[in-house]
Amino acid sequence: MRSVFLVILTQLVFSAAAQNNPAKTYWITGVVVDDESGKPISDVEISTSEKPNNILLSDANGVFTIVTQADSIYFDHVSYTRIGIVTREFRSGDTIQMTYGFGNLLDQTVVGGDRTERAIKNQIVSVEHVQPALVQDKNPITIDEIVNQVSGVVVNDGQVNIRNGAGWSYGAGTRALLVLDGMPMISGDAGKVQWNFINPDNISRMEVVKGASSVLYGSSALNGMINLTTSWPDEKPTTRFTSFSGLYSEASRESLKWSDERLTTSGLRFSDSRRVGKSDVVTSFEVVDDKGYRFGDFDSRIRGGVDFRQNVNDSFNYGVKTHLLSTNNGSFLLWNSYDSAYRALDDAKTVTNGLKWRFDPFVHWKKGKWRQSLRARYLYIDNQVDNGDSLNNQSNTNTMIYADYQALRRLNKSIQITAGATTMLVRSNSPLYEGLQKADNLAAYFQWEHKLGPVRYTVGSRFENYRLNNYVESKPVFRAGMQYSMGGGRYLRASYGQGYRFPTIAESYIKTSVGLISIYPNAELQSETGDNIEIGIKQGFKTKKLRGFLDVAAFRMTYQDMMEFAFGQWSSDVSPDNGFGLGFKSLNTGKTEITGIDINTTGELKLVSGTLRFFGGYTASNPVISDRNFVYGMDSTGADLSYVSTSSDTSSDVLKYRNERTFKMDVAYNRGKWNLGVSSRYASRITNIDRAFVDPLFQFFVPGIQTGLDLNPQGFWIFDVRVSYQVNSQFRLSLIQNNLSNQEYMVRPADVGAPRLTMIQAKLTLK
């Protein structure tokens, strides 16, 4: 908590009262300083009534003197919360504590890269907090749409890329981990984030940690993590119904039209949260039918779940969360051509009927100075795939068992230790991965945090042991950081974190095809390591009408043996039926380096007519290969593969599939029952992709990729708008429009983004 001490050096001088005025006169002198930095605070208003007529100010050195007969003295500053003292109780050397006045902005609690809750101002790494209200207002079909609104973050085909720490891969592996209620929410076989398992109406906390988080979260957090926490009941029972219906607009070009049907999306969500005695129960249900905007790309799902917690006492609780999800969806990899970009290549259609179940038992307890927890997750995924080719069976089944024990102890007011151990067992059985595959992980982690005056130090380590079938690998990773409170709402931080990611089953063993394009295995794929160095400063600001903070961070990420999804000729069978041997394969492409700057702001402005809230930022990065001539492999013809030989643009050393500059901003204006919001997203042009994509032979079969790259030579802007009206305390009606201008843009090779989507949302809340 940001506090301010008034260190008062008092001298009370008693003057003999006049016969008609027996009141005691107090002569108080002192100095106002910041509690963490020790710096004096000037221009503190000192008065003797709650509505002062005569105001004294502390000088440039924080010194003040006041003579009064009043019982109380009040201290005001534009950046601090007002407090009062009782004059007769004041003694020389007394200390008074004031709270820095940013309310729930700088002081809002988040779970950062160290698995513990603390104010956002005290984080040693960059953490972006997303207000749950934004999730409710934008009505995402899947929650990754909200993650994509965070500055420095790009979500492509469900994969998260933070500060250009990753390029593009299709359904295999992730460097940014999704953590749901403290545990990974990714498939065990492919490391694929399970976005459709999450109910947007039941999120109490969302934050994005930028930079390596592998020390406390494990392998898939090499590039960062997204933390989601679901909510438990309040004192009053709450029941919510959310219904939405939407329509995709026709694309800006007539040639993109592929269906005479109205392409719609609709859904219904229900949740009930209530406390029964000492038990907390949350039930939820969701049905979504999104016909999509592309041929063969749709999403229909039904999900239901129950969360139960038994609060035995203030020190002990246990429970379980169990959810079942049934899906029917289609996938899209490459367009048929630029002129028919919403049709899949050769009209290939892959339909997956999926059944997913998660069972999450947990127990939390406190004893003395110890806080301990044991969490577990059983995740079962069964995908039955129909791709129209009886000889290419892509169905797959996998299970993941994950368990995490964590203990936290405060040794004293200044020192806290966190320690724990995790285990993960994955079993996958599918012709997609050449039969039965096994992956196991054991890990232990430890972190020490020490607060010494205005400085907070953190050091931590994690030891990983991975087994993929008969291959075993062990590796330690470390992190360290400091945060210095400079006073006046200014916080300086510096951090160093190592990252580590082990290949997934899919990256190592997948063998399949989508239309004429094949995806090839690489059983020799090696793990990748990296580190992240960051220096940042967070500055709070507050006036009578404006409050918020500005965060600026400079970062440098390096990766050894970086895994990239590479396109090339991987088969000696170059027949047309085999797509001429062309396809994708995961490779270790060598050492890379990403440097850049990340600028973010969050705040609110009080206006006469309402309140304006804003959230967003700008990220500029330089993602480059360290050795452009490094040979990292050979294709089926024996040709050497390097950055130079496989890149479409070698005029610079920029990595493939990166938007070097992004800008994100969301602004919401609330006036009475009305709420108006605007979201904007900018991404610069992707300058480098696989050379094969623009090769004349590939262009013959998948035309127009270069035209798509040139579609937005300066990058693209997307604007979403929303307006809602609170009819009464229970019912709200909203109109939401994504891609307001119906902008056409290519998000990655052979994939055009969604056209305008207009939705109506109705929300009923009963308490």
Side-chain angles (χ1 to χ4, degrees), residues 507-735:
E507 288 171 308
S508 300
Y509 294 104
I510 190 170
K511 184 173 177 60
T512 187
S513 62
V514 180
L516 291 177
I517 304 301
S518 296
I519 302 175
Y520 291 89
N522 184 2
E524 298 179 356
L525 194 64
Q526 301 297 306
S527 60
E528 59 180 335
T529 58
D531 55 50
N532 181 83
I533 299 174
E534 177 182 312
I535 298 176
I537 187 167
K538 191 181 294 288
Q539 174 64 64
F541 53 83
K542 183 183 179 184
T543 67
K544 292 183 178 180
K545 294 184 178 181
L546 176 66
R547 66 170 185 160
F549 61 83
L550 177 69
D551 189 281
V552 180
F555 59 88
R556 175 180 178 268
M557 297 181 288
T558 59
Y559 294 96
Q560 305 289 337
D561 292 324
M562 188 177 217
M563 299 182 205
E564 292 277 60
F565 207 44
F567 188 87
Q569 185 172 317
W570 304 114
S571 174
S572 57
D573 179 3
V574 295
S575 64
D577 291 340
N578 194 44
F580 300 95
L582 298 173
F584 293 97
K585 187 178 186 179
S586 291
L587 298 176
N588 296 110
T589 58
K591 184 178 179 181
T592 61
E593 178 180 282
I594 301 116
T595 56
I597 188 169
D598 201 357
I599 304 172
N600 298 275
T601 185
T602 298
E604 62 180 39
L605 175 64
K606 298 288 186 182
L607 303 174
V608 175
S609 56
T611 302
L612 187 74
R613 295 182 176 86
F614 52 90
F615 159 78
Y618 171 78
T619 303
S621 64
N622 183 35
V624 296
I625 191 77
S626 296
D627 183 357
R628 66 200 326 254
N629 295 309
F630 172 72
V631 176
Y632 53 78
M634 272 190 262
D635 66 12
S636 62
T637 67
D640 289 341
L641 302 176
S642 67
Y643 173 87
V644 172
S645 67
T646 63
S647 296
S648 65
D649 184 354
T650 58
S651 61
S652 66
D653 296 332
V654 173
L655 298 172
K656 301 169 187 173
Y657 309 112
R658 264 65 170 191
N659 304 104
E660 296 169 66
R661 299 177 307 280
T662 61
F663 174 83
K664 311 284 183 69
M665 182 61 68
D666 185 86
V667 179
Y669 173 69
N670 179 263
R671 179 180 180 179
K673 295 184 176 183
W674 289 95
N675 186 286
L676 173 67
V678 179
S679 295
S680 61
R681 300 186 302 279
Y682 166 77
S684 63
R685 180 180 185 267
I686 295 175
T687 58
N688 189 19
I689 62 174
D690 280 295
R691 177 178 293 181
F693 274 125
V694 293
D695 182 88
L697 177 61
F698 189 85
Q699 290 281 310
F700 177 79
F701 292 97
V702 189
I705 292 180
Q706 186 61 55
T707 305
L709 288 172
D710 297 335
L711 180 64
N712 309 107
Q714 303 303 320
F716 59 84
W717 284 91
I718 302 297
F719 292 92
D720 306 332
V721 297
R722 60 188 185 272
V723 59
S724 66
Y725 179 71
Q726 193 73 40
V727 179
N728 53 42
S729 61
Q730 298 177 333
F731 184 68
R732 188 181 75 168
L733 193 63
S734 303
L735 177 65

Side-chain angles (χ1 to χ4, degrees), residues 240-441:
R240 294 187 178 92
F241 295 90
T242 301
S243 175
F244 67 90
S245 180
L247 175 67
Y248 289 98
S249 298
E250 291 187 0
S252 55
R253 287 185 288 133
E254 179 66 24
S255 65
L256 297 181
K257 185 177 179 180
W258 60 272
S259 174
D260 293 329
E261 296 182 11
R262 294 170 62 87
L263 301 177
T264 61
T265 182
S266 60
L268 175 67
R269 294 192 291 266
F270 160 82
S271 66
D272 181 82
S273 177
R274 63 186 59 240
R275 187 163 293 167
V276 183
K278 292 186 176 182
S279 301
D280 294 330
V281 182
V282 180
T283 57
S284 62
F285 175 81
E286 177 186 42
V287 56
V288 173
D289 182 22
D290 180 22
K291 297 188 183 302
Y293 60 94
R294 300 178 294 195
F295 172 83
D297 187 15
F298 59 92
D299 181 15
S300 297
R301 63 181 185 266
I302 300 175
R303 183 198 55 79
V306 177
D307 299 349
F308 171 81
R309 180 175 66 179
Q310 182 70 25
N311 302 295
V312 178
N313 51 48
D314 292 338
S315 301
F316 184 77
N317 68 70
Y318 64 90
V320 65
K321 301 181 179 183
T322 181
H323 290 248
L324 186 65
L325 172 67
S326 175
T327 64
N328 177 255
N329 54 53
S331 58
F332 183 98
L333 178 60
L334 299 173
W335 66 31
N336 196 52
S337 69
Y338 173 74
D339 289 331
S340 56
Y342 286 159
R343 300 193 73 92
L345 181 62
D346 295 331
D347 284 348
K349 190 174 182 180
T350 301
V351 178
T352 301
N353 289 295
L355 182 65
K356 304 178 183 181
W357 178 49
R358 66 178 175 95
F359 182 80
D360 302 348
F362 62 87
V363 58
H364 304 278
W365 68 98
K366 302 177 186 177
K367 187 175 182 180
K369 295 182 179 180
W370 287 95
R371 285 188 354 190
Q372 300 176 79
S373 65
L374 179 62
R375 303 181 181 94
R377 170 165 292 156
Y378 174 80
L379 179 62
Y380 171 82
I381 298 177
D382 179 29
N383 292 318
Q384 297 299 314
V385 180
D386 178 10
N387 58 7
D389 183 358
S390 59
L391 300 179
N392 181 20
N393 188 352
Q394 298 177 332
S395 298
N396 57 90
T397 302
N398 70 89
T399 59
M400 179 185 75
I401 299 175
Y402 177 91
D404 173 74
Y405 166 77
Q406 179 178 306
L408 183 150
R409 174 165 179 162
R410 291 190 178 277
L411 300 182
N412 52 47
K413 292 183 179 180
S414 302
I415 299 176
Q416 174 179 292
I417 59 172
T418 304
T422 65
T423 182
M424 183 172 67
L425 306 176
V426 177
R427 299 293 181 266
S428 175
N429 193 358
S430 169
L432 191 66
Y433 307 130
E434 302 179 2
L436 178 65
Q437 305 293 345
K438 302 177 181 180
D440 301 328
N441 171 235

